[in-house]
Amino acid sequence: MAKHAVVIAGGGPTGMMLAAELALAKVDVAVVERRSNHVLVGSRAGGFHSRTIELLDQRGVAARFLAEGQVAQAAMIGTTVLDMSDFPTRHPYSLGIWQNQIERIMAAWIAELPVRIYYGCEVKGFSQDDSGVDVELSGGESLRAQYLVGCDGGRSVIRKAAGIEFPGWDPTRSNLIAEAEVTEEPPRGMRQDATGVHGLHRLEDGRTVRVVVTEQQLGPSSEPTLRDLRAALITVYGTDFGIHSPTWIARFTDMTRQAATCRAGRVLLAGDSAHVHYPAGGQGLSLGVHDAVNLGWKLAQVVKGTSAESLLDTYHDERHPVVARALRHTMALTVLQRPDERMKALVDLVSELAIMDEPRKRLAGIISGLDIHYELGEGHPLLGRRMPDLDLLTADGPLRVFTLLHDAKPVLLNLGEPGGFEITPWADRVQAIDAGYAGAWELPVLGAVTPPTALLIRPDGYVAWVGDGTDTGLRDALTTWFGSP
Ligand SMILES: Cc1cc2nc3c(=O)[nH]c(=O)nc-3n(C[C@H](O)[C@H](O)[C@H](O)COP(=O)(O)OP(=O)(O)OC[C@H]3O[C@@H](n4cnc5c(N)ncnc54)[C@H](O)[C@@H]3O)c2cc1C
């Protein structure tokens, strides 16, 4: 039986991001992926938002995605675009890029890292004991791991086998999504009616059309057919545009559910396996990537023995409320996509309010992920929030904060007197950097904050301690997050 420190079930965006995080932390990680390679049939998600671009930038790979996508102000509520171009970030926009491109780029990235991938292999179940997990694979094989992470999508086998409840809201509407060819030229743009949104767009090859159509009645859980698609198009448009030769037909719904817990002993959940929702607002892929970046370094430290297992509980404590808030936001966006006359009145009202500065920033903060705040206690507004990518000046020259995070290692950033902190017991785990910074301190949504004199930055880019000219609380923060001295 092959052994790995961590086995990840599912090599979608969440599984690949987690594999990269663990490999960067030098943990022996393997991914078990049902598909025979990383080609994704169907374009699926259409991109991600600002904070996700920042997370990829923290690892030095954002440019690979930016080169293939198109940046745009894509966050919306009602009919109002939530323009975030004035947010203090290097990436004040969303990135339009299809999920099959995202997965191709991610797969190429993890191929550069020491990640073992078992393609064409399915996880069937597992059993855990005090020292590890036996992961049962299709074909009768099994793997032994210290930890198993289910990144196996909304129908997660891992979540079900772990007996983790998945409470939430049943579906009330369904959409068909497909890629196919047509014989009649479809109309441009999206159409909205009392059932929801519909649209046909030509893809880059000029031949394939991507279709999204809301069904009049909630569709069954069985696989949709070309016949279903034709009928749904005729109902909305009065024609099926001669649709034929589909390469992909799928159904998605507004079912909204969240796993009651992200951890059951040595088994954890991340991404769609832990939460599902309607794609309004385009947040699903981002939520999974954020889960992976929150979990990766914690799991790595526990596997290496530098931190106690209880560090893993902070993964649930931090991500569960943040995801719950995002799910509620997608439910609100979804309802606003059904403009019968009464709903249209609400859409107009919300859209009018969202043009105003304060509501625009608040809503853009949620969709972009730039307002994420992990509850790390009272203190400076930066505590538990994202570290801005500042342009620092060091003895060796200019340096961006995100460059310091490329290897997913924590940073103690001293902006005061050089050599002001003594952290020798953590020197093998934490990078200590003396630097100067002369610019403004501004956070998205919150605005200007008091300049700190030092910061302890976690590998996920969130601030674990803020200095006020002394080292009060620093040892505690180092011990809490990066283990005993
Ligand atoms: C139409 C549509 C549009 C969307 N638009 C957006 C958008 O614009 N922006 C956005 O952020 N999100 C969007 N989403 C959501 C997004 O696609 C998902 O949130 C995202 O794919 C979740 O990633 P994941 O890795 O957690 O799960 P998945 O992408 O589902 O990956 C799971 C992986 O696990 C594998 N697998 C499953 N079971 C097993 C098993 N037992 N053993 C081994 N492997 C297994 C699968 O083959 C797959 O590769 C959209 C979704 C849909 C359907």
Side-chain angles (χ1 to χ4, degrees):
M1 184 191 302
K3 287 186 182 169
H4 299 282
V6 178
V7 168
I8 299 172
T14 307
M16 283 194 276
M17 191 73 207
L18 181 60
E21 293 292 295
L22 289 164
L24 286 170
K26 302 192 168 35
V27 167
D28 167 19
V29 55
V31 178
V32 180
E33 169 54 46
R34 176 195 283 156
R35 287 176 281 161
S36 56
N37 57 40
H38 259 104
V39 177
L40 183 68
V41 180
S43 47
R44 234 172 133 182
F48 43 72
H49 300 291
S50 176
R51 181 60 183 151
T52 310
I53 307 172
E54 284 196 341
L55 293 181
L56 295 165
D57 208 359
Q58 287 181 175
R59 299 297 179 252
V61 295
R64 303 183 188 197
F65 298 86
L66 290 165
E68 287 206 29
Q70 257 193 319
V71 300
Q73 295 301 330
M76 286 190 69
I77 190 153
T79 54
T80 296
V81 174
L82 300 167
D83 189 330
M84 60 183 84
S85 50
D86 60 346
F87 270 174
T89 160
R90 274 180 219 276
H91 305 291
Y93 38 66
S94 303
L95 182 67
I97 178 168
W98 296 117
Q99 187 166 338
N100 45 17
Q101 293 172 279
I102 295 169
E103 294 204 18
R104 176 171 43 74
I105 298 168
M106 280 189 157
W109 175 34
I110 63 169
E112 296 163 14
L113 300 169
V115 175
R116 173 75 198 265
I117 306 188
Y118 296 88
Y119 281 117
C121 196
E122 208 171 312
V123 175
K124 291 290 192 190
F126 66 85
S127 55
Q128 58 172 318
D129 53 51
D130 288 347
S131 62
V133 189
D134 286 328
V135 185
E136 298 153 31
L137 306 182
S138 48
E141 306 269 303
S142 55
L143 298 173
R144 177 79 179 166
Q146 291 177 50
Y147 288 89
L148 167 67
V149 189
C151 298
D152 52 341
R155 294 177 185 169
S156 173
V157 166
I158 305 299
R159 185 188 67 236
K160 290 172 192 160
I164 295 176
E165 289 192 22
F166 203 35
W169 295 269
D170 287 336
T172 62
R173 72 154 130 160
S174 58
N175 289 65
L176 295 178
I177 185 163
E179 286 172 11
E181 292 178 40
V182 288
T183 55
E184 290 169 36
E185 192 54 30
R188 281 167 179 265
M190 301 301 284
R191 178 179 289 197
Q192 287 200 355
D193 60 27
T195 55
V197 291
H198 323 278
L200 297 95
H201 300 276
R202 267 199 198 280
L203 294 182
E204 293 72 22
D205 66 6
R207 202 168 33 106
T208 312
V209 171
R210 177 174 152 114
V211 183
V212 179
V213 59
T214 309
E215 296 180 286
Q216 297 299 302
Q217 268 117 33
L218 185 64
S221 54
S222 56
E223 291 299 313
T225 62
L226 182 58
R227 215 179 144 128
D228 298 330
L229 183 61
R230 283 185 172 137
L233 282 169
I234 289 168
T235 307
V236 175
Y237 291 96
T239 169
D240 64 8
F241 304 102
I243 197 154
H244 64 95
S245 311
T247 49
W248 175 55
I249 306 181
R251 176 178 278 119
F252 62 91
T253 76
D254 64 349
M255 179 169 74
T256 305
R257 293 186 179 279
Q258 185 175 17
T261 176
C262 304
R263 177 177 172 218
R266 294 179 168 273
V267 178
L268 298 119
L269 301 178
D272 274 17
S273 74
H275 36 77
V276 293
H277 60 87
Y278 196 68
Q283 298 206 55
L285 196 144
S286 289
L287 291 176
V289 170
H290 295 209
D291 287 350
V293 175
N294 186 290
L295 175 60
W297 65 277
K298 295 173 181 173
L299 189 51
Q301 288 182 186
V302 171
V303 163
K304 289 175 177 172
T306 40
S307 291
E309 236 192 4
S310 56
L311 184 65
L312 294 177
D313 294 330
T314 69
Y315 166 59
H316 171 90
D317 296 346
E318 293 178 2
R319 290 302 298 160
H320 198 273
V322 166
V323 171
R325 179 168 178 249
L327 296 190
R328 290 193 73 78
H329 187 77
T330 66
M331 289 201 290
L333 291 180
T334 307
V335 171
L336 293 174
Q337 284 185 356
R338 286 174 162 173
D340 63 15
E341 276 313 306
R342 285 186 166 80
M343 189 52 76
K344 199 166 171 310
L346 181 62
V347 168
D348 291 346
L349 187 71
V350 171
S351 306
E352 233 173 83
L353 291 174
I355 292 168
M356 295 160 70
D357 225 33
E358 172 91 24
R360 171 184 64 84
K361 285 186 177 169
R362 274 197 182 222
L363 294 164
I366 297 175
I367 295 192
S368 63
L370 290 170
D371 78 342
I372 289 172
H373 180 210
Y374 297 135
E375 286 297 335
L376 304 190
E378 297 284 303
H380 192 282
L382 270 159
L383 190 64
R385 289 198 166 85
R386 69 182 250 298
M387 177 66 198
D389 185 18
L390 308 177
D391 287 308
L392 304 172
L393 200 59
T394 70
D396 299 327
L399 181 68
R400 282 175 54 187
V401 167
F402 282 9
T403 305
L404 290 167
L405 293 170
H406 282 187
D407 294 333
K409 271 188 92 174
V411 180
L412 175 63
L413 179 59
N414 173 25
L415 300 166
E417 271 305 297
F421 296 102
E422 162 51 36
I423 62 156
T424 307
W426 289 274
D428 59 331
R429 286 164 257 170
V430 180
Q431 312 169 69
I433 304 288
D434 291 327
Y437 174 66
W441 282 91
E442 196 192 348
L443 299 184
V445 189
L446 289 190
V449 296
T450 316
T453 55
L455 301 119
L456 182 62
I457 310 165
R458 307 191 318 190
D460 58 356
Y462 288 84
V463 176
W465 172 84
V466 183
D468 58 1
T470 71
D471 65 358
T472 309
L474 177 59
R475 286 183 73 87
D476 285 349
L478 284 163
T479 307
T480 301
W481 296 110
F482 309 119
S484 302

